[in-house]
Amino acid sequence: MSEDGAGPAETPDAAAEDELADARHLAVVVAKPRAESVIDALEAEGVYDDNRSVESWDSDGVAVPVTAPPETVAVREVVQQVGEQRLRGLADHLRQRGWTEDELDAAPGSWAVVGSVVLVELGDAPRPGEVGEALLALHGEADTVVARNGISGAHREPDVTVIAGEGDTETVHTEHGTEYAVDLAEVMFSPGNKAERARMGEAVSDGERVLDMFAGIGYFTLPMARAGAEVTAVERNPTAFRYLVENAMRNGVDDLVHPYRADCREVVAAGIDGGPVDRVVMGYYEAWEYLDSALDALAPGGVLHMHEATPDNLVFERPVERLESAAADAGRSVEVLDTRRVKSHSEGVAHVVVDARVD
């Protein structure tokens, strides 16, 4: 018996085991809008526990599982995790809803959380509503699930359908400290370009002058401006342009971002303040059609980043040939610095980028 007569005292080993067990069930409570950025920060610190679910905690907070109290991330409080072990994936959630193995073969194999919204391509999956509810069960930080049906039109507008949750498609997505406000029903956002967005922030130097010819909501503009570059950002979609301006202010770089709602060719033809730029970013699958304007805007020795959707059998041959041909027509020479596959664009087609110095 222990001294108070309550029962046998714990041995040091038992106490250590209890302490370890408690640590395995720790979570941090944060405001729901911060969940995505907090998860990124916890992953960077090495204490995010992806074996357990993010769960609702109170009316405006969620509990994010951790393996130890964070030292560098601000949180509301550290608590004992209330959620269950995340031992099941989407297939098991759907199986629990009565899906057959044949139906599971048609279930989505990938999806992405953008802010508070889950983006998913349904393909031939049956019962979309059940897919959406299962994804919400997997991602407690999200409150809406939308199915992506493609991108179309001159303004690259998305076609999406809300399949579960609250139905609010406007959100704020955070990547590597950059905040992107976006309405996923109005403006495209590609989660697969995450690494490329971060890389552009690392590529520029403080004080560098950049032209972003297809700026969108600030996909590449914002990380570059946050790194100290002065960016002329051109976007002709009025909705995307509104978010571009908002996002420059949201990230505190509105003094470095010079936004134009126009066709990029017109901006180049009118002359960019300060003259030719040090770097041109062409984040558009048909960017090669604008190479003459890009080269007009780029100073000798400047760097150009050209994106393209290229058939697998022509990677990287076709984009490099197009760039070299345009440069030759302009009486300039090209040094290819790097080539990258960003992601799969569609079956047999890759999204690639060519980085080149142009003299």
Side-chain angles (χ1 to χ4, degrees), residues 243-287:
Y243 281 110
L244 170 64
V245 174
E246 176 185 338
N247 287 330
M249 298 178 65
R250 175 183 290 275
N251 287 275
V253 292
D254 46 307
D255 58 330
L256 290 172
V257 175
H258 310 295
Y260 290 82
R261 187 167 77 84
D263 186 293
C264 54
R265 290 190 181 104
E266 297 174 357
V267 174
V268 172
I272 298 172
D273 289 346
V277 298
D278 305 306
R279 189 181 302 267
V280 173
V281 181
M282 308 179 74
Y284 175 48
Y285 290 138
E286 304 297 330

Short mmCIF file of all heavy atoms in Angstrom, two decimals, residues 243-287:
data_model
loop_
_atom_site.label_atom_id
_atom_site.label_comp_id
_atom_site.label_asym_id
_atom_site.label_seq_id
_atom_site.Cartn_x
_atom_site.Cartn_y
_atom_site.Cartn_z
N TYR A 243 -8.10 39.47 -55.75
CA TYR A 243 -7.40 38.72 -54.71
C TYR A 243 -5.90 39.02 -54.73
O TYR A 243 -5.25 39.01 -53.67
CB TYR A 243 -7.64 37.22 -54.87
CG TYR A 243 -8.98 36.78 -54.33
CD1 TYR A 243 -9.99 36.37 -55.20
CD2 TYR A 243 -9.24 36.79 -52.97
CE1 TYR A 243 -11.23 35.96 -54.71
CE2 TYR A 243 -10.47 36.39 -52.47
CZ TYR A 243 -11.47 35.98 -53.35
OH TYR A 243 -12.69 35.59 -52.85
N LEU A 244 -5.34 39.29 -55.89
CA LEU A 244 -3.92 39.66 -55.98
C LEU A 244 -3.66 40.91 -55.15
O LEU A 244 -2.70 40.97 -54.35
CB LEU A 244 -3.54 39.91 -57.44
CG LEU A 244 -2.18 40.54 -57.72
CD1 LEU A 244 -1.05 39.62 -57.27
CD2 LEU A 244 -2.04 40.87 -59.21
N VAL A 245 -4.49 41.92 -55.32
CA VAL A 245 -4.33 43.16 -54.55
C VAL A 245 -4.53 42.91 -53.06
O VAL A 245 -3.75 43.37 -52.22
CB VAL A 245 -5.31 44.23 -55.07
CG1 VAL A 245 -5.25 45.49 -54.19
CG2 VAL A 245 -4.99 44.59 -56.53
N GLU A 246 -5.59 42.15 -52.73
CA GLU A 246 -5.85 41.84 -51.31
C GLU A 246 -4.69 41.07 -50.70
O GLU A 246 -4.27 41.35 -49.56
CB GLU A 246 -7.13 41.04 -51.18
CG GLU A 246 -7.42 40.58 -49.75
CD GLU A 246 -8.63 39.68 -49.63
OE1 GLU A 246 -9.49 39.71 -50.53
OE2 GLU A 246 -8.71 38.94 -48.63
N ASN A 247 -4.15 40.11 -51.43
CA ASN A 247 -3.09 39.27 -50.89
C ASN A 247 -1.79 40.02 -50.72
O ASN A 247 -1.01 39.74 -49.80
CB ASN A 247 -2.89 38.03 -51.77
CG ASN A 247 -4.02 37.04 -51.63
OD1 ASN A 247 -4.63 36.93 -50.57
ND2 ASN A 247 -4.32 36.31 -52.70
N ALA A 248 -1.52 40.98 -51.60
CA ALA A 248 -0.32 41.81 -51.42
C ALA A 248 -0.42 42.58 -50.11
O ALA A 248 0.56 42.70 -49.36
CB ALA A 248 -0.16 42.76 -52.60
N MET A 249 -1.61 43.11 -49.81
CA MET A 249 -1.81 43.83 -48.55
C MET A 249 -1.79 42.86 -47.37
O MET A 249 -1.19 43.15 -46.33
CB MET A 249 -3.14 44.58 -48.61
CG MET A 249 -3.19 45.64 -49.71
SD MET A 249 -4.79 46.48 -49.81
CE MET A 249 -4.83 47.33 -48.23
N ARG A 250 -2.41 41.72 -47.51
CA ARG A 250 -2.47 40.73 -46.43
C ARG A 250 -1.07 40.29 -46.00
O ARG A 250 -0.81 40.05 -44.82
CB ARG A 250 -3.29 39.52 -46.90
CG ARG A 250 -3.34 38.36 -45.93
CD ARG A 250 -4.13 37.20 -46.52
NE ARG A 250 -5.53 37.52 -46.60
CZ ARG A 250 -6.40 37.36 -45.60
NH1 ARG A 250 -5.99 36.86 -44.44
NH2 ARG A 250 -7.67 37.66 -45.76
N ASN A 251 -0.15 40.19 -46.97
CA ASN A 251 1.21 39.75 -46.69
C ASN A 251 2.18 40.90 -46.44
O ASN A 251 3.38 40.67 -46.29
CB ASN A 251 1.72 38.87 -47.84
CG ASN A 251 1.08 37.50 -47.85
OD1 ASN A 251 1.53 36.58 -47.17
ND2 ASN A 251 0.00 37.35 -48.62
N GLY A 252 1.67 42.13 -46.43
CA GLY A 252 2.50 43.28 -46.12
C GLY A 252 3.53 43.62 -47.18
O GLY A 252 4.59 44.17 -46.86
N VAL A 253 3.22 43.30 -48.46
CA VAL A 253 4.17 43.58 -49.54
C VAL A 253 3.56 44.47 -50.61
O VAL A 253 4.04 44.50 -51.75
CB VAL A 253 4.70 42.27 -50.17
CG1 VAL A 253 5.56 41.50 -49.18
CG2 VAL A 253 3.55 41.40 -50.68
N ASP A 254 2.51 45.19 -50.28
CA ASP A 254 1.85 46.04 -51.28
C ASP A 254 2.76 47.15 -51.78
O ASP A 254 2.54 47.70 -52.86
CB ASP A 254 0.54 46.61 -50.73
CG ASP A 254 0.67 47.17 -49.33
OD1 ASP A 254 1.14 46.44 -48.45
OD2 ASP A 254 0.31 48.34 -49.13
N ASP A 255 3.82 47.49 -51.01
CA ASP A 255 4.77 48.49 -51.49
C ASP A 255 5.73 47.92 -52.52
O ASP A 255 6.38 48.67 -53.27
CB ASP A 255 5.56 49.08 -50.33
CG ASP A 255 6.33 48.03 -49.53
OD1 ASP A 255 5.85 46.88 -49.46
OD2 ASP A 255 7.38 48.37 -48.96
N LEU A 256 5.83 46.59 -52.61
CA LEU A 256 6.74 45.93 -53.55
C LEU A 256 6.02 45.33 -54.75
O LEU A 256 6.67 44.94 -55.72
CB LEU A 256 7.53 44.84 -52.83
CG LEU A 256 8.58 45.31 -51.83
CD1 LEU A 256 9.15 44.12 -51.06
CD2 LEU A 256 9.69 46.07 -52.53
N VAL A 257 4.71 45.22 -54.68
CA VAL A 257 3.93 44.63 -55.76
C VAL A 257 3.21 45.74 -56.52
O VAL A 257 2.46 46.52 -55.94
CB VAL A 257 2.91 43.61 -55.22
CG1 VAL A 257 2.02 43.09 -56.35
CG2 VAL A 257 3.62 42.45 -54.54
N HIS A 258 3.43 45.78 -57.84
CA HIS A 258 2.80 46.78 -58.70
C HIS A 258 1.82 46.04 -59.62
O HIS A 258 2.23 45.49 -60.65
CB HIS A 258 3.85 47.53 -59.51
CG HIS A 258 4.97 48.07 -58.66
ND1 HIS A 258 4.78 49.04 -57.70
CD2 HIS A 258 6.29 47.75 -58.60
CE1 HIS A 258 5.93 49.31 -57.10
NE2 HIS A 258 6.85 48.53 -57.63
N PRO A 259 0.54 45.99 -59.23
CA PRO A 259 -0.43 45.16 -59.96
C PRO A 259 -1.05 45.89 -61.16
O PRO A 259 -1.36 47.08 -61.09
CB PRO A 259 -1.48 44.87 -58.89
CG PRO A 259 -1.44 46.05 -57.98
CD PRO A 259 -0.03 46.57 -58.01
N TYR A 260 -1.25 45.15 -62.24
CA TYR A 260 -1.91 45.66 -63.43
C TYR A 260 -2.99 44.67 -63.85
O TYR A 260 -2.70 43.49 -64.04
CB TYR A 260 -0.92 45.81 -64.60
CG TYR A 260 0.08 46.93 -64.43
CD1 TYR A 260 1.24 46.73 -63.68
CD2 TYR A 260 -0.12 48.17 -65.03
CE1 TYR A 260 2.18 47.75 -63.51
CE2 TYR A 260 0.81 49.19 -64.89
CZ TYR A 260 1.95 48.98 -64.12
OH TYR A 260 2.87 49.99 -63.96
N ARG A 261 -4.23 45.17 -64.01
CA ARG A 261 -5.27 44.31 -64.58
C ARG A 261 -5.30 44.59 -66.08
O ARG A 261 -5.90 45.56 -66.55
CB ARG A 261 -6.64 44.58 -63.96
CG ARG A 261 -7.68 43.57 -64.43
CD ARG A 261 -8.95 43.61 -63.60
NE ARG A 261 -9.79 44.73 -63.92
CZ ARG A 261 -10.68 44.73 -64.92
NH1 ARG A 261 -10.79 43.68 -65.72
NH2 ARG A 261 -11.44 45.79 -65.14
N ALA A 262 -4.61 43.74 -66.82
CA ALA A 262 -4.43 43.97 -68.24
C ALA A 262 -3.87 42.71 -68.89
O ALA A 262 -3.55 41.74 -68.20
CB ALA A 262 -3.45 45.13 -68.46
N ASP A 263 -3.75 42.74 -70.20
CA ASP A 263 -3.02 41.72 -70.93
C ASP A 263 -1.54 42.03 -70.77
O ASP A 263 -1.11 43.18 -70.95
CB ASP A 263 -3.43 41.74 -72.40
CG ASP A 263 -2.80 40.59 -73.18
OD1 ASP A 263 -1.56 40.59 -73.34
OD2 ASP A 263 -3.54 39.73 -73.66
N CYS A 264 -0.73 41.02 -70.46
CA CYS A 264 0.69 41.26 -70.20
C CYS A 264 1.40 41.85 -71.42
O CYS A 264 2.36 42.62 -71.28
CB CYS A 264 1.38 40.00 -69.72
SG CYS A 264 1.19 38.56 -70.80
N ARG A 265 0.95 41.51 -72.62
CA ARG A 265 1.57 42.07 -73.82
C ARG A 265 1.43 43.59 -73.84
O ARG A 265 2.34 44.32 -74.23
CB ARG A 265 0.93 41.48 -75.08
CG ARG A 265 1.25 40.01 -75.35
CD ARG A 265 0.75 39.65 -76.74
NE ARG A 265 0.98 38.26 -77.08
CZ ARG A 265 0.05 37.32 -77.08
NH1 ARG A 265 -1.18 37.63 -76.72
NH2 ARG A 265 0.34 36.09 -77.42
N GLU A 266 0.25 44.07 -73.42
CA GLU A 266 0.00 45.51 -73.42
C GLU A 266 0.88 46.22 -72.40
O GLU A 266 1.37 47.32 -72.65
CB GLU A 266 -1.47 45.78 -73.14
CG GLU A 266 -2.42 45.23 -74.20
CD GLU A 266 -3.87 45.38 -73.82
OE1 GLU A 266 -4.14 45.85 -72.69
OE2 GLU A 266 -4.75 45.01 -74.63
N VAL A 267 1.07 45.60 -71.26
CA VAL A 267 1.92 46.20 -70.22
C VAL A 267 3.36 46.31 -70.71
O VAL A 267 4.02 47.33 -70.53
CB VAL A 267 1.83 45.40 -68.91
CG1 VAL A 267 2.82 45.92 -67.88
CG2 VAL A 267 0.41 45.44 -68.35
N VAL A 268 3.86 45.26 -71.34
CA VAL A 268 5.23 45.28 -71.85
C VAL A 268 5.36 46.31 -72.96
O VAL A 268 6.34 47.07 -73.01
CB VAL A 268 5.64 43.88 -72.34
CG1 VAL A 268 7.01 43.93 -73.04
CG2 VAL A 268 5.70 42.89 -71.17
N ALA A 269 4.38 46.35 -73.85
CA ALA A 269 4.45 47.30 -74.97
C ALA A 269 4.44 48.74 -74.49
O ALA A 269 5.09 49.62 -75.09
CB ALA A 269 3.28 47.05 -75.93
N ALA A 270 3.73 49.01 -73.39
CA ALA A 270 3.66 50.37 -72.86
C ALA A 270 4.93 50.76 -72.13
O ALA A 270 5.18 51.95 -71.90
CB ALA A 270 2.46 50.50 -71.93
N GLY A 271 5.74 49.77 -71.77
CA GLY A 271 6.99 50.03 -71.06
C GLY A 271 6.84 49.89 -69.56
O GLY A 271 5.95 50.49 -68.96
N ILE A 272 7.69 49.07 -68.96
CA ILE A 272 7.66 48.85 -67.52
C ILE A 272 8.48 49.93 -66.84
O ILE A 272 9.59 50.26 -67.28
CB ILE A 272 8.22 47.46 -67.18
CG1 ILE A 272 7.34 46.39 -67.82
CG2 ILE A 272 8.32 47.25 -65.67
CD1 ILE A 272 7.91 44.99 -67.71
N ASP A 273 7.93 50.50 -65.79
CA ASP A 273 8.66 51.53 -65.05
C ASP A 273 10.03 51.01 -64.63
O ASP A 273 10.14 49.92 -64.06
CB ASP A 273 7.88 51.96 -63.80
CG ASP A 273 6.63 52.77 -64.13
OD1 ASP A 273 6.53 53.22 -65.29
OD2 ASP A 273 5.76 52.93 -63.25
N GLY A 274 11.06 51.78 -64.93
CA GLY A 274 12.42 51.38 -64.58
C GLY A 274 13.12 50.62 -65.68
O GLY A 274 14.29 50.27 -65.55
N GLY A 275 12.39 50.33 -66.78
CA GLY A 275 13.02 49.64 -67.91
C GLY A 275 13.02 48.14 -67.77
O GLY A 275 12.29 47.57 -66.94
N PRO A 276 13.83 47.44 -68.59
CA PRO A 276 13.86 45.97 -68.58
C PRO A 276 14.13 45.41 -67.18
O PRO A 276 14.84 46.02 -66.37
CB PRO A 276 15.00 45.64 -69.54
CG PRO A 276 15.05 46.80 -70.48
CD PRO A 276 14.72 48.00 -69.62
N VAL A 277 13.56 44.23 -66.92
CA VAL A 277 13.61 43.64 -65.58
C VAL A 277 14.69 42.57 -65.51
O VAL A 277 15.23 42.12 -66.51
CB VAL A 277 12.25 43.04 -65.21
CG1 VAL A 277 11.18 44.12 -65.16
CG2 VAL A 277 11.85 41.91 -66.18
N ASP A 278 15.00 42.16 -64.27
CA ASP A 278 16.03 41.14 -64.03
C ASP A 278 15.51 39.73 -64.22
O ASP A 278 16.29 38.79 -64.44
CB ASP A 278 16.56 41.27 -62.60
CG ASP A 278 17.07 42.66 -62.29
OD1 ASP A 278 17.92 43.15 -63.05
OD2 ASP A 278 16.61 43.25 -61.29
N ARG A 279 14.19 39.56 -64.10
CA ARG A 279 13.62 38.21 -64.12
C ARG A 279 12.19 38.28 -64.65
O ARG A 279 11.44 39.21 -64.32
CB ARG A 279 13.64 37.62 -62.70
CG ARG A 279 13.26 36.15 -62.60
CD ARG A 279 13.30 35.70 -61.13
NE ARG A 279 14.62 35.91 -60.52
CZ ARG A 279 15.58 35.01 -60.47
NH1 ARG A 279 15.39 33.80 -60.99
NH2 ARG A 279 16.73 35.28 -59.89
N VAL A 280 11.80 37.29 -65.46
CA VAL A 280 10.44 37.18 -65.96
C VAL A 280 9.90 35.80 -65.59
O VAL A 280 10.56 34.78 -65.83
CB VAL A 280 10.35 37.38 -67.48
CG1 VAL A 280 8.94 37.09 -67.99
CG2 VAL A 280 10.77 38.80 -67.87
N VAL A 281 8.71 35.78 -65.01
CA VAL A 281 8.04 34.53 -64.65
C VAL A 281 6.84 34.35 -65.56
O VAL A 281 6.00 35.24 -65.69
CB VAL A 281 7.59 34.54 -63.17
CG1 VAL A 281 6.93 33.22 -62.81
CG2 VAL A 281 8.78 34.81 -62.25
N MET A 282 6.75 33.17 -66.19
CA MET A 282 5.68 32.87 -67.14
C MET A 282 4.92 31.63 -66.68
O MET A 282 5.09 30.54 -67.22
CB MET A 282 6.26 32.67 -68.55
CG MET A 282 7.17 33.80 -69.02
SD MET A 282 7.86 33.50 -70.67
CE MET A 282 6.40 33.82 -71.69
N GLY A 283 4.10 31.77 -65.66
CA GLY A 283 3.41 30.64 -65.06
C GLY A 283 2.10 30.31 -65.75
O GLY A 283 1.02 30.38 -65.14
N TYR A 284 2.19 29.94 -67.03
CA TYR A 284 1.01 29.65 -67.85
C TYR A 284 1.39 28.54 -68.81
O TYR A 284 2.48 28.55 -69.39
CB TYR A 284 0.60 30.93 -68.59
CG TYR A 284 -0.52 30.81 -69.58
CD1 TYR A 284 -1.70 30.16 -69.26
CD2 TYR A 284 -0.40 31.36 -70.85
CE1 TYR A 284 -2.74 30.07 -70.17
CE2 TYR A 284 -1.43 31.28 -71.78
CZ TYR A 284 -2.59 30.64 -71.42
OH TYR A 284 -3.62 30.53 -72.33
N TYR A 285 0.49 27.57 -69.00
CA TYR A 285 0.83 26.40 -69.82
C TYR A 285 1.13 26.75 -71.27
O TYR A 285 1.87 26.02 -71.94
CB TYR A 285 -0.32 25.39 -69.78
CG TYR A 285 -0.48 24.70 -68.44
CD1 TYR A 285 -1.73 24.48 -67.90
CD2 TYR A 285 0.63 24.28 -67.72
CE1 TYR A 285 -1.90 23.83 -66.68
CE2 TYR A 285 0.49 23.64 -66.50
CZ TYR A 285 -0.78 23.42 -65.99
OH TYR A 285 -0.93 22.79 -64.78
N GLU A 286 0.56 27.84 -71.78
CA GLU A 286 0.84 28.25 -73.16
C GLU A 286 1.76 29.47 -73.18
O GLU A 286 1.68 30.33 -74.06
CB GLU A 286 -0.47 28.57 -73.88
CG GLU A 286 -1.48 27.43 -73.87
CD GLU A 286 -0.97 26.21 -74.61
OE1 GLU A 286 -0.18 26.37 -75.55
OE2 GLU A 286 -1.36 25.07 -74.24
N ALA A 287 2.66 29.55 -72.21
CA ALA A 287 3.52 30.73 -72.07
C ALA A 287 4.37 30.98 -73.31
O ALA A 287 4.70 32.14 -73.61
CB ALA A 287 4.42 30.56 -70.84
#
